[in-house]
Amino acid sequence: MFRRATTLLRRPLNSAASRRFSTDLPAEPAADSSFVEAWKKVSPNIDPPKTPLSYLKPRPSIPSSLPTKLTVNFVLPYSSQLSSKEVDMVIVPATTGQMGVLPGHVATIAELKPGVLSVHEGNDVTKYFVSSGFAFIHANSVADVIAVEAVPLDQIDANLVQKGLQDFTQKLNSATTDLEKAEAQIGVDVHSALNSALTG
């Protein structure tokens, strides 16, 4: 066993056999030629339908130098809050903690928890409360933030947050089934995050 391992370790690495990274792949998606050829054999008189590959846009190239701005897309299921906005930094409430994203950030996917999303542009800071979602940070200094629900922090009524926190705490204490407990706990978590966002 060990003799085999040492021979494998001494062998020079062949670049063709080594695993390629996604950044090494071409930016232009290849056409799905095998599907088109198979379709033409079966139905030569009908144009082939589009495959998912035909809907993919070419991946943007990674810049050779570090950009000075971060491009942010911040979308909700029903609207777009920010579209291709160039900013200095974004701080997202990831489940692992607050995550600051600057230009040139390593490619990352982060799950969002209820909390404050801060968009920094010069001296201006715009804050949103997000309920949950995902942040996709790309290697080309583009950040896509997709949230289930988001509200600008200055539009949140502190009195309603306090009332909601009390209501959900009472529901949690009086819950009898696992479903009631889970729903009440989600309400407590969201309202606690809203409260700390407004007071902190």
Side-chain angles (χ1 to χ4, degrees):
M1 177 78 169
F2 289 114
R3 277 184 284 195
R4 174 118 172 92
T6 55
T7 57
L8 288 173
L9 290 174
R10 279 188 297 216
R11 190 177 353 167
L13 290 174
N14 183 357
S15 61
S18 63
R19 185 172 169 219
R20 295 174 63 178
F21 294 106
S22 64
T23 52
D24 298 332
L25 299 176
E28 294 290 329
D32 197 354
S33 58
S34 60
F35 174 77
V36 173
E37 288 172 17
W39 181 270
K40 292 289 184 188
K41 288 178 185 174
V42 175
S43 301
N45 299 330
I46 300 174
D47 290 334
K50 292 190 174 190
T51 61
L53 192 60
S54 60
Y55 291 100
L56 291 176
K57 294 181 182 175
R59 184 173 26 83
S61 60
I62 298 172
S64 58
S65 63
L66 191 66
T68 58
K69 294 285 185 180
L70 175 72
T71 304
V72 177
N73 300 305
F74 178 34
V75 294
L76 306 173
Y78 52 86
S79 70
S80 175
Q81 298 292 326
L82 302 172
S83 179
S84 298
K85 185 165 180 76
E86 291 193 343
V87 300
D88 296 319
M89 178 177 67
V90 172
I91 300 175
V92 296
T95 54
T96 55
Q98 294 289 324
M99 183 172 82
V101 180
L102 294 165
H105 195 284
V106 67
T108 307
I109 298 174
E111 183 183 1
L112 303 181
K113 66 178 182 178
V116 178
L117 172 103
S118 303
V119 180
H120 298 255
E121 187 178 10
N123 293 331
D124 297 332
V125 179
T126 307
K127 294 184 177 183
Y128 299 89
F129 182 83
V130 295
S131 62
S132 63
F134 287 91
F136 300 90
I137 291 85
H138 306 280
N140 59 350
S141 291
V142 173
D144 295 321
V145 180
I146 294 98
V148 174
E149 188 64 57
V151 178
L153 206 57
D154 56 0
Q155 294 181 9
I156 298 174
D157 186 353
N159 295 328
L160 290 176
V161 171
Q162 289 294 329
K163 183 179 181 312
L165 183 57
Q166 290 171 357
D167 292 346
F168 278 108
T169 304
Q170 184 179 1
K171 286 180 184 178
L172 182 61
N173 293 334
S174 64
T176 56
T177 67
D178 288 341
L179 177 63
E180 289 174 349
K181 289 178 184 176
E183 288 175 345
Q185 185 62 53
I186 291 170
V188 168
D189 291 346
V190 171
H191 283 80
S192 297
L194 273 165
N195 191 37
S196 63
L198 291 173
T199 57

PDB file of all heavy atoms in Angstrom, residues 117-143:
ATOM      1  N   LEU A 117     -28.789  44.754   6.391  1.00  0.00           N
ATOM      2  CA  LEU A 117     -27.905  44.798   5.224  1.00  0.00           C
ATOM      3  C   LEU A 117     -27.513  46.252   5.032  1.00  0.00           C
ATOM      4  O   LEU A 117     -28.383  47.117   4.889  1.00  0.00           O
ATOM      5  CB  LEU A 117     -28.628  44.276   3.987  1.00  0.00           C
ATOM      6  CG  LEU A 117     -27.882  44.451   2.683  1.00  0.00           C
ATOM      7  CD1 LEU A 117     -27.261  43.136   2.257  1.00  0.00           C
ATOM      8  CD2 LEU A 117     -28.798  44.928   1.596  1.00  0.00           C
ATOM      9  N   SER A 118     -26.214  46.547   5.075  1.00  0.00           N
ATOM     10  CA  SER A 118     -25.729  47.925   4.939  1.00  0.00           C
ATOM     11  C   SER A 118     -25.029  48.089   3.601  1.00  0.00           C
ATOM     12  O   SER A 118     -24.162  47.296   3.258  1.00  0.00           O
ATOM     13  CB  SER A 118     -24.732  48.264   6.050  1.00  0.00           C
ATOM     14  OG  SER A 118     -25.317  48.059   7.301  1.00  0.00           O
ATOM     15  N   VAL A 119     -25.416  49.138   2.886  1.00  0.00           N
ATOM     16  CA  VAL A 119     -24.795  49.462   1.601  1.00  0.00           C
ATOM     17  C   VAL A 119     -24.024  50.762   1.790  1.00  0.00           C
ATOM     18  O   VAL A 119     -24.620  51.806   2.061  1.00  0.00           O
ATOM     19  CB  VAL A 119     -25.854  49.605   0.489  1.00  0.00           C
ATOM     20  CG1 VAL A 119     -25.199  49.929  -0.838  1.00  0.00           C
ATOM     21  CG2 VAL A 119     -26.691  48.334   0.371  1.00  0.00           C
ATOM     22  N   HIS A 120     -22.699  50.702   1.649  1.00  0.00           N
ATOM     23  CA  HIS A 120     -21.830  51.858   1.885  1.00  0.00           C
ATOM     24  C   HIS A 120     -21.382  52.439   0.548  1.00  0.00           C
ATOM     25  O   HIS A 120     -20.745  51.767  -0.249  1.00  0.00           O
ATOM     26  CB  HIS A 120     -20.604  51.438   2.695  1.00  0.00           C
ATOM     27  CG  HIS A 120     -20.953  50.909   4.047  1.00  0.00           C
ATOM     28  ND1 HIS A 120     -20.761  51.643   5.194  1.00  0.00           N
ATOM     29  CD2 HIS A 120     -21.505  49.730   4.447  1.00  0.00           C
ATOM     30  CE1 HIS A 120     -21.166  50.931   6.230  1.00  0.00           C
ATOM     31  NE2 HIS A 120     -21.616  49.775   5.802  1.00  0.00           N
ATOM     32  N   GLU A 121     -21.709  53.708   0.356  1.00  0.00           N
ATOM     33  CA  GLU A 121     -21.326  54.421  -0.858  1.00  0.00           C
ATOM     34  C   GLU A 121     -20.745  55.771  -0.432  1.00  0.00           C
ATOM     35  O   GLU A 121     -21.489  56.707  -0.124  1.00  0.00           O
ATOM     36  CB  GLU A 121     -22.541  54.608  -1.757  1.00  0.00           C
ATOM     37  CG  GLU A 121     -22.218  55.178  -3.113  1.00  0.00           C
ATOM     38  CD  GLU A 121     -23.455  55.293  -3.977  1.00  0.00           C
ATOM     39  OE1 GLU A 121     -24.585  55.111  -3.489  1.00  0.00           O
ATOM     40  OE2 GLU A 121     -23.270  55.597  -5.163  1.00  0.00           O
ATOM     41  N   GLY A 122     -19.416  55.850  -0.382  1.00  0.00           N
ATOM     42  CA  GLY A 122     -18.779  57.055   0.130  1.00  0.00           C
ATOM     43  C   GLY A 122     -19.123  57.204   1.604  1.00  0.00           C
ATOM     44  O   GLY A 122     -18.953  56.290   2.397  1.00  0.00           O
ATOM     45  N   ASN A 123     -19.637  58.382   1.989  1.00  0.00           N
ATOM     46  CA  ASN A 123     -20.062  58.613   3.374  1.00  0.00           C
ATOM     47  C   ASN A 123     -21.507  58.206   3.624  1.00  0.00           C
ATOM     48  O   ASN A 123     -21.970  58.233   4.762  1.00  0.00           O
ATOM     49  CB  ASN A 123     -19.882  60.093   3.743  1.00  0.00           C
ATOM     50  CG  ASN A 123     -18.416  60.486   3.785  1.00  0.00           C
ATOM     51  OD1 ASN A 123     -17.559  59.657   4.061  1.00  0.00           O
ATOM     52  ND2 ASN A 123     -18.125  61.742   3.500  1.00  0.00           N
ATOM     53  N   ASP A 124     -22.231  57.869   2.563  1.00  0.00           N
ATOM     54  CA  ASP A 124     -23.636  57.489   2.696  1.00  0.00           C
ATOM     55  C   ASP A 124     -23.757  56.002   3.002  1.00  0.00           C
ATOM     56  O   ASP A 124     -23.131  55.168   2.348  1.00  0.00           O
ATOM     57  CB  ASP A 124     -24.408  57.795   1.409  1.00  0.00           C
ATOM     58  CG  ASP A 124     -24.439  59.277   1.097  1.00  0.00           C
ATOM     59  OD1 ASP A 124     -24.362  60.077   2.046  1.00  0.00           O
ATOM     60  OD2 ASP A 124     -24.530  59.630  -0.092  1.00  0.00           O
ATOM     61  N   VAL A 125     -24.582  55.679   3.992  1.00  0.00           N
ATOM     62  CA  VAL A 125     -24.855  54.284   4.342  1.00  0.00           C
ATOM     63  C   VAL A 125     -26.365  54.088   4.299  1.00  0.00           C
ATOM     64  O   VAL A 125     -27.109  54.771   5.005  1.00  0.00           O
ATOM     65  CB  VAL A 125     -24.318  53.937   5.744  1.00  0.00           C
ATOM     66  CG1 VAL A 125     -24.644  52.493   6.091  1.00  0.00           C
ATOM     67  CG2 VAL A 125     -22.823  54.173   5.824  1.00  0.00           C
ATOM     68  N   THR A 126     -26.816  53.173   3.441  1.00  0.00           N
ATOM     69  CA  THR A 126     -28.231  52.833   3.351  1.00  0.00           C
ATOM     70  C   THR A 126     -28.416  51.481   4.010  1.00  0.00           C
ATOM     71  O   THR A 126     -27.704  50.529   3.691  1.00  0.00           O
ATOM     72  CB  THR A 126     -28.688  52.766   1.880  1.00  0.00           C
ATOM     73  OG1 THR A 126     -28.316  53.976   1.227  1.00  0.00           O
ATOM     74  CG2 THR A 126     -30.180  52.578   1.780  1.00  0.00           C
ATOM     75  N   LYS A 127     -29.381  51.412   4.932  1.00  0.00           N
ATOM     76  CA  LYS A 127     -29.589  50.173   5.680  1.00  0.00           C
ATOM     77  C   LYS A 127     -30.972  49.610   5.376  1.00  0.00           C
ATOM     78  O   LYS A 127     -31.956  50.340   5.332  1.00  0.00           O
ATOM     79  CB  LYS A 127     -29.436  50.415   7.181  1.00  0.00           C
ATOM     80  CG  LYS A 127     -28.028  50.798   7.583  1.00  0.00           C
ATOM     81  CD  LYS A 127     -27.894  50.933   9.070  1.00  0.00           C
ATOM     82  CE  LYS A 127     -26.457  51.255   9.448  1.00  0.00           C
ATOM     83  NZ  LYS A 127     -26.273  51.314  10.896  1.00  0.00           N
ATOM     84  N   TYR A 128     -30.994  48.287   5.178  1.00  0.00           N
ATOM     85  CA  TYR A 128     -32.235  47.550   4.952  1.00  0.00           C
ATOM     86  C   TYR A 128     -32.318  46.433   5.979  1.00  0.00           C
ATOM     87  O   TYR A 128     -31.300  45.838   6.339  1.00  0.00           O
ATOM     88  CB  TYR A 128     -32.255  46.903   3.563  1.00  0.00           C
ATOM     89  CG  TYR A 128     -32.169  47.854   2.407  1.00  0.00           C
ATOM     90  CD1 TYR A 128     -30.937  48.246   1.900  1.00  0.00           C
ATOM     91  CD2 TYR A 128     -33.318  48.342   1.792  1.00  0.00           C
ATOM     92  CE1 TYR A 128     -30.852  49.107   0.823  1.00  0.00           C
ATOM     93  CE2 TYR A 128     -33.241  49.210   0.710  1.00  0.00           C
ATOM     94  CZ  TYR A 128     -32.004  49.580   0.235  1.00  0.00           C
ATOM     95  OH  TYR A 128     -31.928  50.432  -0.828  1.00  0.00           O
ATOM     96  N   PHE A 129     -33.530  46.144   6.431  1.00  0.00           N
ATOM     97  CA  PHE A 129     -33.721  44.951   7.249  1.00  0.00           C
ATOM     98  C   PHE A 129     -34.162  43.839   6.310  1.00  0.00           C
ATOM     99  O   PHE A 129     -35.137  43.977   5.580  1.00  0.00           O
ATOM    100  CB  PHE A 129     -34.771  45.164   8.340  1.00  0.00           C
ATOM    101  CG  PHE A 129     -34.920  43.954   9.210  1.00  0.00           C
ATOM    102  CD1 PHE A 129     -34.047  43.745  10.266  1.00  0.00           C
ATOM    103  CD2 PHE A 129     -35.897  43.006   8.957  1.00  0.00           C
ATOM    104  CE1 PHE A 129     -34.153  42.615  11.060  1.00  0.00           C
ATOM    105  CE2 PHE A 129     -36.010  41.875   9.739  1.00  0.00           C
ATOM    106  CZ  PHE A 129     -35.133  41.678  10.794  1.00  0.00           C
ATOM    107  N   VAL A 130     -33.424  42.727   6.307  1.00  0.00           N
ATOM    108  CA  VAL A 130     -33.774  41.578   5.469  1.00  0.00           C
ATOM    109  C   VAL A 130     -34.225  40.432   6.367  1.00  0.00           C
ATOM    110  O   VAL A 130     -33.696  40.236   7.461  1.00  0.00           O
ATOM    111  CB  VAL A 130     -32.598  41.135   4.563  1.00  0.00           C
ATOM    112  CG1 VAL A 130     -32.256  42.210   3.564  1.00  0.00           C
ATOM    113  CG2 VAL A 130     -31.380  40.751   5.364  1.00  0.00           C
ATOM    114  N   SER A 131     -35.220  39.689   5.888  1.00  0.00           N
ATOM    115  CA  SER A 131     -35.746  38.577   6.684  1.00  0.00           C
ATOM    116  C   SER A 131     -34.909  37.322   6.500  1.00  0.00           C
ATOM    117  O   SER A 131     -34.617  36.609   7.460  1.00  0.00           O
ATOM    118  CB  SER A 131     -37.199  38.301   6.308  1.00  0.00           C
ATOM    119  OG  SER A 131     -37.270  37.929   4.941  1.00  0.00           O
ATOM    120  N   SER A 132     -34.525  37.033   5.270  1.00  0.00           N
ATOM    121  CA  SER A 132     -33.696  35.873   4.952  1.00  0.00           C
ATOM    122  C   SER A 132     -33.356  35.946   3.473  1.00  0.00           C
ATOM    123  O   SER A 132     -33.832  36.817   2.764  1.00  0.00           O
ATOM    124  CB  SER A 132     -34.422  34.558   5.271  1.00  0.00           C
ATOM    125  OG  SER A 132     -35.579  34.450   4.465  1.00  0.00           O
ATOM    126  N   GLY A 133     -32.540  35.018   3.013  1.00  0.00           N
ATOM    127  CA  GLY A 133     -32.174  34.995   1.603  1.00  0.00           C
ATOM    128  C   GLY A 133     -30.772  34.471   1.414  1.00  0.00           C
ATOM    129  O   GLY A 133     -30.240  33.740   2.254  1.00  0.00           O
ATOM    130  N   PHE A 134     -30.161  34.878   0.295  1.00  0.00           N
ATOM    131  CA  PHE A 134     -28.806  34.444  -0.028  1.00  0.00           C
ATOM    132  C   PHE A 134     -28.024  35.602  -0.632  1.00  0.00           C
ATOM    133  O   PHE A 134     -28.592  36.483  -1.281  1.00  0.00           O
ATOM    134  CB  PHE A 134     -28.820  33.277  -1.026  1.00  0.00           C
ATOM    135  CG  PHE A 134     -29.264  31.985  -0.422  1.00  0.00           C
ATOM    136  CD1 PHE A 134     -30.602  31.611  -0.435  1.00  0.00           C
ATOM    137  CD2 PHE A 134     -28.351  31.142   0.182  1.00  0.00           C
ATOM    138  CE1 PHE A 134     -31.019  30.430   0.135  1.00  0.00           C
ATOM    139  CE2 PHE A 134     -28.760  29.945   0.756  1.00  0.00           C
ATOM    140  CZ  PHE A 134     -30.092  29.591   0.732  1.00  0.00           C
ATOM    141  N   ALA A 135     -26.723  35.566  -0.413  1.00  0.00           N
ATOM    142  CA  ALA A 135     -25.807  36.519  -1.054  1.00  0.00           C
ATOM    143  C   ALA A 135     -24.822  35.712  -1.890  1.00  0.00           C
ATOM    144  O   ALA A 135     -24.216  34.758  -1.398  1.00  0.00           O
ATOM    145  CB  ALA A 135     -25.066  37.349  -0.012  1.00  0.00           C
ATOM    146  N   PHE A 136     -24.721  36.077  -3.162  1.00  0.00           N
ATOM    147  CA  PHE A 136     -23.780  35.430  -4.072  1.00  0.00           C
ATOM    148  C   PHE A 136     -22.711  36.455  -4.422  1.00  0.00           C
ATOM    149  O   PHE A 136     -23.003  37.453  -5.083  1.00  0.00           O
ATOM    150  CB  PHE A 136     -24.497  34.961  -5.340  1.00  0.00           C
ATOM    151  CG  PHE A 136     -25.607  33.978  -5.082  1.00  0.00           C
ATOM    152  CD1 PHE A 136     -26.900  34.410  -4.862  1.00  0.00           C
ATOM    153  CD2 PHE A 136     -25.341  32.622  -5.046  1.00  0.00           C
ATOM    154  CE1 PHE A 136     -27.921  33.511  -4.614  1.00  0.00           C
ATOM    155  CE2 PHE A 136     -26.355  31.720  -4.794  1.00  0.00           C
ATOM    156  CZ  PHE A 136     -27.656  32.158  -4.578  1.00  0.00           C
ATOM    157  N   ILE A 137     -21.495  36.208  -3.983  1.00  0.00           N
ATOM    158  CA  ILE A 137     -20.393  37.116  -4.280  1.00  0.00           C
ATOM    159  C   ILE A 137     -19.554  36.446  -5.364  1.00  0.00           C
ATOM    160  O   ILE A 137     -19.101  35.307  -5.191  1.00  0.00           O
ATOM    161  CB  ILE A 137     -19.549  37.423  -3.023  1.00  0.00           C
ATOM    162  CG1 ILE A 137     -20.353  38.276  -2.023  1.00  0.00           C
ATOM    163  CG2 ILE A 137     -18.307  38.207  -3.403  1.00  0.00           C
ATOM    164  CD1 ILE A 137     -21.213  37.552  -1.117  1.00  0.00           C
ATOM    165  N   HIS A 138     -19.381  37.139  -6.477  1.00  0.00           N
ATOM    166  CA  HIS A 138     -18.674  36.584  -7.627  1.00  0.00           C
ATOM    167  C   HIS A 138     -17.238  37.106  -7.651  1.00  0.00           C
ATOM    168  O   HIS A 138     -16.933  38.164  -7.102  1.00  0.00           O
ATOM    169  CB  HIS A 138     -19.401  36.949  -8.921  1.00  0.00           C
ATOM    170  CG  HIS A 138     -20.849  36.566  -8.909  1.00  0.00           C
ATOM    171  ND1 HIS A 138     -21.283  35.292  -9.145  1.00  0.00           N
ATOM    172  CD2 HIS A 138     -21.962  37.298  -8.651  1.00  0.00           C
ATOM    173  CE1 HIS A 138     -22.610  35.244  -9.060  1.00  0.00           C
ATOM    174  NE2 HIS A 138     -23.044  36.455  -8.748  1.00  0.00           N
ATOM    175  N   ALA A 139     -16.378  36.382  -8.347  1.00  0.00           N
ATOM    176  CA  ALA A 139     -14.956  36.734  -8.402  1.00  0.00           C
ATOM    177  C   ALA A 139     -14.705  38.011  -9.200  1.00  0.00           C
ATOM    178  O   ALA A 139     -13.631  38.594  -9.098  1.00  0.00           O
ATOM    179  CB  ALA A 139     -14.160  35.586  -9.007  1.00  0.00           C
ATOM    180  N   ASN A 140     -15.693  38.474  -9.974  1.00  0.00           N
ATOM    181  CA  ASN A 140     -15.513  39.695 -10.774  1.00  0.00           C
ATOM    182  C   ASN A 140     -16.059  40.927 -10.065  1.00  0.00           C
ATOM    183  O   ASN A 140     -16.452  41.896 -10.705  1.00  0.00           O
ATOM    184  CB  ASN A 140     -16.173  39.523 -12.143  1.00  0.00           C
ATOM    185  CG  ASN A 140     -17.654  39.232 -12.028  1.00  0.00           C
ATOM    186  OD1 ASN A 140     -18.154  38.970 -10.946  1.00  0.00           O
ATOM    187  ND2 ASN A 140     -18.359  39.265 -13.135  1.00  0.00           N
ATOM    188  N   SER A 141     -16.092  40.904  -8.722  1.00  0.00           N
ATOM    189  CA  SER A 141     -16.544  42.021  -7.884  1.00  0.00           C
ATOM    190  C   SER A 141     -17.996  42.408  -8.141  1.00  0.00           C
ATOM    191  O   SER A 141     -18.345  43.577  -8.190  1.00  0.00           O
ATOM    192  CB  SER A 141     -15.624  43.232  -8.040  1.00  0.00           C
ATOM    193  OG  SER A 141     -14.377  42.954  -7.474  1.00  0.00           O
ATOM    194  N   VAL A 142     -18.825  41.398  -8.302  1.00  0.00           N
ATOM    195  CA  VAL A 142     -20.273  41.587  -8.400  1.00  0.00           C
ATOM    196  C   VAL A 142     -20.899  40.807  -7.257  1.00  0.00           C
ATOM    197  O   VAL A 142     -20.537  39.649  -7.014  1.00  0.00           O
ATOM    198  CB  VAL A 142     -20.828  41.097  -9.755  1.00  0.00           C
ATOM    199  CG1 VAL A 142     -22.345  41.151  -9.778  1.00  0.00           C
ATOM    200  CG2 VAL A 142     -20.253  41.905 -10.897  1.00  0.00           C
ATOM    201  N   ALA A 143     -21.814  41.446  -6.533  1.00  0.00           N
ATOM    202  CA  ALA A 143     -22.529  40.795  -5.434  1.00  0.00           C
ATOM    203  C   ALA A 143     -24.020  40.802  -5.749  1.00  0.00           C
ATOM    204  O   ALA A 143     -24.597  41.859  -6.009  1.00  0.00           O
ATOM    205  CB  ALA A 143     -22.263  41.514  -4.120  1.00  0.00           C
TER     206      ALA A 143
END
